[in-house]
Amino acid sequence: MVVVRGSASLTTESLTTACPLDCPDTCSLSVTVEGGRLVGVDAGPGNPLTDGFICQKVKHHARRVYAPERVLTPLVRTGPKGAGEFRAASWDEALDLVAARLRDAEARFGAESVVPYVYNSSAPAMQSLLVDRFFNRFGASRVDHTICAATHGMAWHEMFGGMLSADPRDVVHARLIVVWGANPTISNVHFPPLVNEARAAGARVVVVDPRRTAMARRADRHLAPLPGTDVVLALAMASHLDRAGLVDRDFVEQHTEGADEFLDAARQWLPEAAESVCGVPAAEIVGAAEELAASRPAYFRVGWGLERNRNGGSACAAAFALPLLTGQFGVLGSGVFASLSDATPLTTGPRDPAERHTPRPRHVNMNRLGAMLCDRELDPPIAVLFVQGANPAASNPNQRAVHAGLARDDLFTVVHDQVLTDTARFADVALPATTHFEERDVAASYGAYVLQETPAVIDRVGESRTNNELGSAMAAKFGYPAERFDPDPSVVLANAVTDGNGASGARPLRDAGATVQFRDTFPTFESKRARLSGLAEIGVPSYRPLDETYPLALLSPASPKTINTMFAEFDGPQPVVRVNPDDAASRGVEDGATVRVFNAQAEIELTMRVDADLRPGVVTIPKGLWCRALPGGLTANALVPDTLSDLAGGATFNDARVELAPRRT
Ligand SMILES: Nc1nc2c(c(=O)[nH]1)N[C@H]1C(S)=C(S)[C@@H](COP(=O)(O)OP(=O)(O)OC[C@H]3O[C@@H](n4cnc5c(=O)[nH]c(N)nc54)[C@H](O)[C@@H]3O)O[C@H]1N2
Ligand SMILES: Nc1nc2c(c(=O)[nH]1)N[C@H]1C(S)=C(S)[C@@H](COP(=O)(O)OP(=O)(O)OC[C@H]3O[C@@H](n4cnc5c(=O)[nH]c(N)nc54)[C@H](O)[C@@H]3O)O[C@H]1N2
Ligand SMILES: [Mo]
């Protein structure tokens, strides 16, 4: 539709695209564009899950596209690291500088001293292709994506292989809905209306979360375990199912293996013993287990809140086991809604043999970035850090080490981003990236069965380039074959979308009702059975005691204002620590007071809010804050350890333990 308004030269267009940001919903968008500029964003047609409304953040996305923080040209550092002082440079000059430093690092320490911290979880689907290909060919270290979903994802793959997730739309058919470690009201906004629809038809809702979230407030049952103890809660529910004869023996026999070993582990946690560890009353554990066995069909939403601690792998595996033990599969409205990323038919194509490196390059766990940057003995050291589509100075654990590492004079840092993030301020060279409104690509989804086209709907802002264009330009500096590094979206998409020549509009990948687990989709092992034991790294789920050096568990949950740190440059969450009334009273601090929150790693000062929705012993500071939101320049992540979870080396944000006290006067 083209509507001419006012002056004849300024056309207002309404165009359809999709949102690729790191959120399960992946909304279809209808955008209003005036003279090549984005002026409005609203819900659009295509994704049946998201029809009707979009979140408040993305409604204001135009503000971010033209934010004062937007990087408009390549920038070369002129001031001290971290000061954010730069001069503008041409792309050619900036990339010559980058290429020279890559060659220098390779000559002095070997190619593995180059570390590409390329994440791009909020970028369109194909935007890591050519930078990955470039660094692979160069022989750089590989950075494993462990900061989010690695633990949860590996638990799933160990138990179910490539079995597809339940469809969120099918929750309307459930009689019992279990929302475990997920906060959909904030992080998956199109799911709660479907839960409400099921409730209106008589479904009951159980929420497992240390906080009384909005979903928990409306739930029929709210179990509030201490953070990091879900494995104990789930095993205790399993032990009760076993003791009370409520295990669905037929289902377990036919569709699982390893149940005996699993139940042996569970029997160690009778509800009474579990209560003292997880803080959920034994009667509630028994009640929840009996309700699960009695209500059919039951539908589980297992989120990422329970993975972010040392017992995360065990927690996810034990939670996934509950519907298996009770046979809650095979009919519409049953199953587990986890990640849908396995459903998208995308491929990055066969790797060029010239890009394969032997021996395997060094692997770097992203959660250990700060420690590695600060490690003077590391061999080879990190000489060049290339950051794309991530903001580790704000998002990563052990924040003081990340900042100290980024401030190293002998480190050369390149950051390719849309805005001058906390990380980009430390860059030697900062490069301007396009937003998804400025490039053609596709949006894949981890929470909806749809693949959507994201056409270029506005003019490029400044001299921004896509990630693939940057990968291509770097390849050219190294004389790599141009045909392997063609950034043209038609070429990239023709090779990527496996069944044809790229996506067109929005493509449904599965109809609602077509992904019923153990009916339409099965574990992809030869036996087609789910595995309950013999899982990599953990064997059977087990509990590792938590750190009790400091008394309060610090959670940093998703906030409605941001996607991770995106949007916080102009509309961040309130930088406050929320505390249960009893914990506040026992420390002599009142609502609105400035407090110190500290542990052995760091101390930060911020305003305290009393919050009765938190259980005693649990405090929160929102994730996503920019460092400048707090006077000391440090966020919750300064208090977060860089230890790893029990599976896949995942982050343990919620293992942070702190104490809180009035500000020193
Ligand atoms: N608005 C908004 N939406 C987002 C994001 C955002 O930043 N903002 N981020 C996106 C991203 S990257 C992700 S990964 C997803 C995350 O989506 P979710 O998994 O829903 O998000 P979280 O806020 O990490 O955690 C969910 C809940 O887990 C609880 N929790 C914390 N520790 C534990 C525990 O030990 N056990 C249990 N049972 N619960 C626990 C928290 O209190 C929280 O309510 O959301 C995506 N959507
Ligand atoms: N304390 C605490 N910290 C956490 C968590 C927590 O629970 N607690 N959760 C974590 C989770 S779930 C996650 S997923 C991580 C995420 O951590 P990060 O990956 O650091 O996420 P963002 O802060 O959103 O940074 C993404 C950056 O990518 C840029 N970007 C977006 N699209 C493109 C693109 O197409 N090209 C380029 N070049 N850049 C682009 C954005 O502008 C943004 O600056 O953070 C984690 N941090
Ligand atoms: Mo995430």
Side-chain angles (χ1 to χ4, degrees), residues 22 64 119-124 127 147-148 308 388-392 395-396 416-419 421 433-434 439 467 556 563-566 623 636-637 640 653-654:
D22 193 352
R64 186 172 192 274
Y119 196 51
N120 286 323
S121 63
S122 276
Q127 286 302 327
I147 202 163
C148 171
R308 310 194 201 284
Q388 183 180 66
N391 185 9
S395 297
N396 277 43
H416 184 220
D417 204 306
Q418 298 151 351
V419 297
T421 61
T434 46
E439 63 196 304
N467 297 355
S556 34
I563 287 285
N564 298 321
T565 65
M566 288 180 73
K623 90 164 168 179
N637 276 323
V640 165
F653 294 104
N654 297 341

Coordinates of all heavy atoms in Angstrom, one line a residue, residues 22 64 119-124 127 147-148 308 388-392 395-396 416-419 421 433-434 439 467 556 563-566 623 636-637 640 653-654, ligand 2:
D22 N 16.2 -11.7 20.0 CA 16.4 -12.9 20.8 C 15.2 -13.2 21.8 O 15.3 -13.1 23.0 CB 17.7 -12.8 21.5 CG 18.1 -14.1 22.1 OD1 17.4 -15.1 22.0 OD2 19.3 -14.2 22.6
R64 N 15.3 3.4 18.5 CA 16.6 2.8 18.6 C 17.4 2.9 17.2 O 18.6 3.1 17.2 CB 16.5 1.3 19.0 CG 17.8 0.7 19.3 CD 17.7 -0.7 19.9 NE 19.0 -1.1 20.3 CZ 19.9 -1.7 19.6 NH1 19.7 -2.0 18.3 NH2 21.1 -2.1 20.1
Y119 N 28.1 -13.7 18.3 CA 26.9 -14.3 18.9 C 25.7 -14.1 18.1 O 25.1 -15.0 17.6 CB 26.7 -13.8 20.4 CG 25.8 -14.6 21.2 CD1 26.0 -16.0 21.3 CD2 24.7 -14.1 21.9 CE1 25.2 -16.8 22.1 CE2 23.9 -14.9 22.7 CZ 24.1 -16.2 22.8 OH 23.3 -17.0 23.5
N120 N 25.3 -12.8 17.9 CA 24.2 -12.5 16.9 C 22.9 -13.2 17.2 O 22.2 -13.5 16.3 CB 24.7 -12.9 15.5 CG 25.7 -12.0 14.9 OD1 25.6 -10.8 15.1 ND2 26.7 -12.5 14.2
S121 N 22.6 -13.4 18.5 CA 21.3 -14.0 18.8 C 20.1 -13.1 18.5 O 19.0 -13.5 18.5 CB 21.3 -14.5 20.2 OG 21.4 -13.4 21.1
S122 N 20.4 -11.8 18.3 CA 19.3 -10.9 18.0 C 19.3 -10.5 16.5 O 18.6 -9.6 16.1 CB 19.3 -9.6 18.8 OG 18.6 -9.9 20.1
A123 N 20.2 -11.1 15.7 CA 20.4 -10.8 14.3 C 19.5 -11.7 13.5 O 19.1 -12.8 14.0 CB 21.8 -10.9 13.9
P124 N 19.2 -11.4 12.2 CA 18.5 -12.3 11.4 C 19.3 -13.6 11.2 O 20.5 -13.7 11.5 CB 18.3 -11.6 10.1 CG 18.5 -10.1 10.4 CD 19.4 -10.1 11.6
Q127 N 23.0 -14.1 9.5 CA 24.0 -13.0 9.7 C 25.3 -13.4 10.4 O 26.1 -12.6 10.8 CB 23.4 -11.8 10.3 CG 22.5 -11.0 9.3 CD 23.3 -10.6 8.1 OE1 24.4 -10.2 8.1 NE2 22.6 -10.5 6.9
I147 N 26.4 -18.9 26.8 CA 25.9 -18.0 27.8 C 24.4 -18.2 28.0 O 23.9 -17.8 29.1 CB 26.2 -16.5 27.3 CG1 26.2 -15.6 28.5 CG2 25.3 -16.1 26.2 CD1 26.9 -14.2 28.3
C148 N 23.8 -18.8 27.1 CA 22.3 -19.0 27.2 C 21.9 -20.2 26.5 O 22.3 -20.4 25.3 CB 21.6 -17.8 26.6 SG 19.8 -18.0 26.5
R308 N 20.3 -21.7 34.8 CA 21.4 -20.8 35.0 C 22.0 -20.9 36.4 O 22.1 -20.0 37.1 CB 20.9 -19.3 34.8 CG 20.1 -19.1 33.5 CD 19.9 -17.7 33.2 NE 18.8 -17.3 32.3 CZ 18.8 -17.5 31.0 NH1 19.8 -18.0 30.4 NH2 17.7 -17.1 30.3
Q388 N 30.9 -9.3 17.7 CA 29.8 -9.0 16.8 C 28.5 -9.5 17.4 O 28.4 -10.7 17.8 CB 30.1 -9.6 15.5 CG 29.0 -9.2 14.4 CD 29.3 -9.9 13.1 OE1 29.2 -11.1 13.0 NE2 29.6 -9.1 12.1
G389 N 27.5 -8.6 17.4 CA 26.2 -9.1 17.9 C 26.2 -9.5 19.3 O 25.4 -10.4 19.7
A390 N 27.0 -8.9 20.2 CA 27.0 -9.2 21.6 C 27.6 -8.0 22.4 O 28.3 -7.2 21.8 CB 27.9 -10.4 21.9
N391 N 27.3 -8.0 23.6 CA 27.7 -6.8 24.5 C 28.3 -7.4 25.8 O 27.7 -7.2 26.9 CB 26.5 -5.9 24.7 CG 26.8 -4.7 25.5 OD1 28.0 -4.4 25.7 ND2 25.8 -3.9 25.9
P392 N 29.4 -8.1 25.7 CA 29.9 -8.8 26.9 C 30.3 -7.9 28.1 O 30.2 -8.3 29.2 CB 31.2 -9.6 26.4 CG 31.5 -9.0 25.0 CD 30.2 -8.4 24.5
S395 N 26.8 -7.9 29.5 CA 26.0 -9.1 29.6 C 26.7 -10.3 30.3 O 26.1 -11.2 30.7 CB 25.6 -9.6 28.2 OG 24.8 -8.7 27.6
N396 N 28.1 -10.2 30.4 CA 28.8 -11.4 30.8 C 29.0 -11.5 32.3 O 29.1 -10.4 33.0 CB 30.2 -11.5 30.1 CG 30.1 -12.1 28.7 OD1 29.1 -11.8 28.0 ND2 31.0 -13.0 28.4
H416 N 31.7 -4.8 16.1 CA 30.7 -4.5 15.1 C 29.3 -4.5 15.7 O 28.8 -5.6 16.1 CB 30.8 -5.6 13.9 CG 30.0 -5.3 12.7 ND1 29.3 -6.3 12.1 CD2 29.7 -4.1 12.1 CE1 28.6 -5.8 11.1 NE2 28.8 -4.5 11.0
D417 N 28.7 -3.4 15.8 CA 27.4 -3.3 16.4 C 26.6 -2.1 15.8 O 27.2 -1.2 15.2 CB 27.5 -3.1 17.9 CG 26.3 -3.6 18.7 OD1 25.2 -3.1 18.4 OD2 26.4 -4.5 19.6
Q418 N 25.3 -2.1 16.2 CA 24.5 -1.0 15.7 C 24.7 0.3 16.5 O 24.6 1.4 16.0 CB 23.0 -1.4 15.8 CG 22.7 -2.6 14.9 CD 21.6 -3.5 15.4 OE1 21.1 -3.3 16.5 NE2 21.2 -4.4 14.6
V419 N 25.0 0.1 17.8 CA 25.1 1.2 18.7 C 26.4 1.1 19.5 O 27.0 0.1 19.6 CB 23.9 1.3 19.7 CG1 22.6 1.5 19.0 CG2 23.8 0.0 20.6
T421 N 27.8 0.4 22.3 CA 27.5 -0.3 23.5 C 28.6 -0.1 24.5 O 29.7 0.4 24.2 CB 27.4 -1.8 23.3 OG1 28.7 -2.2 22.7 CG2 26.4 -2.2 22.2
A433 N 26.9 -1.4 12.2 CA 26.2 -2.6 11.7 C 24.8 -2.1 11.3 O 24.2 -1.2 11.9 CB 26.0 -3.7 12.8
T434 N 24.2 -2.8 10.3 CA 22.8 -2.5 9.9 C 21.9 -3.1 11.0 O 22.2 -4.0 11.8 CB 22.4 -3.2 8.6 OG1 23.0 -4.6 8.7 CG2 23.1 -2.6 7.4
E439 N 18.3 -4.7 5.8 CA 18.9 -5.7 5.1 C 17.9 -6.8 4.8 O 17.0 -7.0 5.5 CB 20.1 -6.3 5.9 CG 19.6 -7.0 7.2 CD 20.6 -7.3 8.2 OE1 21.6 -7.9 7.9 OE2 20.5 -6.8 9.4
N467 N 26.5 -8.0 8.6 CA 27.6 -8.8 9.1 C 28.2 -9.6 7.9 O 29.5 -9.8 7.9 CB 27.0 -9.9 10.1 CG 26.5 -9.2 11.3 OD1 26.6 -8.0 11.5 ND2 25.9 -10.0 12.2
S556 N 18.8 -12.3 38.2 CA 18.7 -11.2 37.3 C 17.8 -11.5 36.1 O 18.3 -11.8 35.0 CB 20.1 -10.8 36.8 OG 21.0 -11.9 36.7
I563 N 15.5 -6.4 25.5 CA 15.9 -7.7 25.1 C 17.4 -7.8 25.4 O 18.2 -7.1 24.8 CB 15.7 -8.0 23.6 CG1 14.2 -8.1 23.3 CG2 16.4 -9.2 23.2 CD1 13.6 -9.4 23.7
N564 N 17.7 -8.4 26.5 CA 19.1 -8.4 27.0 C 19.4 -6.9 27.2 O 18.7 -6.2 27.9 CB 20.0 -9.2 26.1 CG 19.6 -10.7 26.1 OD1 19.2 -11.2 27.2 ND2 19.7 -11.3 25.0
T565 N 20.5 -6.4 26.5 CA 20.8 -5.0 26.8 C 20.2 -4.1 25.7 O 20.4 -2.8 25.8 CB 22.3 -4.7 26.9 OG1 22.9 -5.0 25.6 CG2 23.0 -5.5 28.0
M566 N 19.6 -4.6 24.7 CA 19.0 -3.8 23.6 C 17.9 -3.0 24.2 O 17.0 -3.5 24.9 CB 18.6 -4.6 22.5 CG 19.8 -5.2 21.7 SD 19.2 -6.2 20.3 CE 18.6 -5.0 19.1
K623 N 18.3 -8.0 34.5 CA 19.4 -8.1 33.5 C 19.1 -7.1 32.4 O 18.0 -6.5 32.3 CB 19.3 -9.5 32.9 CG 18.5 -9.7 31.7 CD 18.8 -11.0 30.9 CE 17.7 -11.3 29.9 NZ 17.9 -12.5 29.1
A636 N 24.6 -6.0 37.8 CA 24.4 -7.3 38.5 C 25.6 -8.2 38.1 O 26.0 -9.1 38.9 CB 23.1 -7.9 38.2
N637 N 26.0 -8.1 36.9 CA 27.0 -9.1 36.4 C 28.4 -9.0 37.1 O 29.2 -9.9 37.0 CB 27.2 -9.0 34.9 CG 26.1 -9.9 34.2 OD1 25.7 -10.9 34.7 ND2 25.5 -9.4 33.1
V640 N 28.2 -11.7 39.6 CA 27.9 -13.0 39.1 C 29.2 -13.8 38.8 O 30.1 -13.3 38.2 CB 27.1 -12.9 37.7 CG1 27.1 -14.2 37.0 CG2 25.6 -12.4 38.0
F653 N 24.5 -17.6 36.1 CA 24.1 -16.2 36.6 C 23.4 -16.3 38.0 O 23.6 -15.5 38.8 CB 23.1 -15.5 35.6 CG 23.8 -15.2 34.3 CD1 23.5 -16.0 33.1 CD2 24.7 -14.2 34.2 CE1 24.1 -15.7 31.9 CE2 25.3 -13.8 33.0 CZ 25.0 -14.6 31.9
N654 N 22.5 -17.3 38.1 CA 21.7 -17.4 39.3 C 22.4 -18.1 40.5 O 21.8 -18.3 41.5 CB 20.3 -18.0 39.0 CG 19.6 -17.1 38.0 OD1 19.9 -15.9 37.8 ND2 18.6 -17.7 37.4
Ligands
LIG2 N1 23.0 -11.0 34.9 C1 22.5 -11.7 33.9 N2 23.1 -11.5 32.7 C2 22.7 -12.2 31.6 C3 21.6 -13.1 31.7 C4 21.0 -13.3 33.0 O1 20.0 -14.0 33.1 N3 21.5 -12.5 34.0 N4 21.1 -13.7 30.6 C5 21.9 -13.8 29.5 C6 21.2 -14.2 28.2 S1 19.8 -15.1 28.3 C7 21.7 -13.9 27.1 S2 21.0 -14.5 25.6 C8 22.9 -13.0 27.0 C9 22.9 -12.1 25.8 O2 23.9 -11.2 25.8 P1 24.3 -10.4 24.5 O3 24.6 -11.3 23.4 O4 25.5 -9.5 25.0 O5 23.0 -9.6 24.2 P2 22.7 -8.1 24.0 O6 23.1 -7.3 25.2 O7 21.3 -8.0 23.5 O8 23.7 -7.7 22.8 C10 23.5 -8.0 21.5 C11 24.1 -6.9 20.6 O9 23.9 -7.2 19.3 C12 23.7 -6.1 18.5 N5 23.0 -6.6 17.3 C13 21.8 -6.9 17.1 N6 21.6 -7.3 15.8 C14 22.8 -7.2 15.2 C15 23.3 -7.5 13.9 O10 22.5 -7.9 13.0 N7 24.6 -7.3 13.6 C16 25.4 -6.8 14.6 N8 26.7 -6.7 14.3 N9 25.0 -6.5 15.8 C17 23.7 -6.7 16.1 C18 22.8 -5.3 19.4 O11 22.8 -3.9 19.1 C19 23.4 -5.5 20.8 O12 24.3 -4.6 21.2 O13 23.1 -12.2 28.2 C20 23.1 -12.9 29.3 N10 23.3 -12.0 30.4

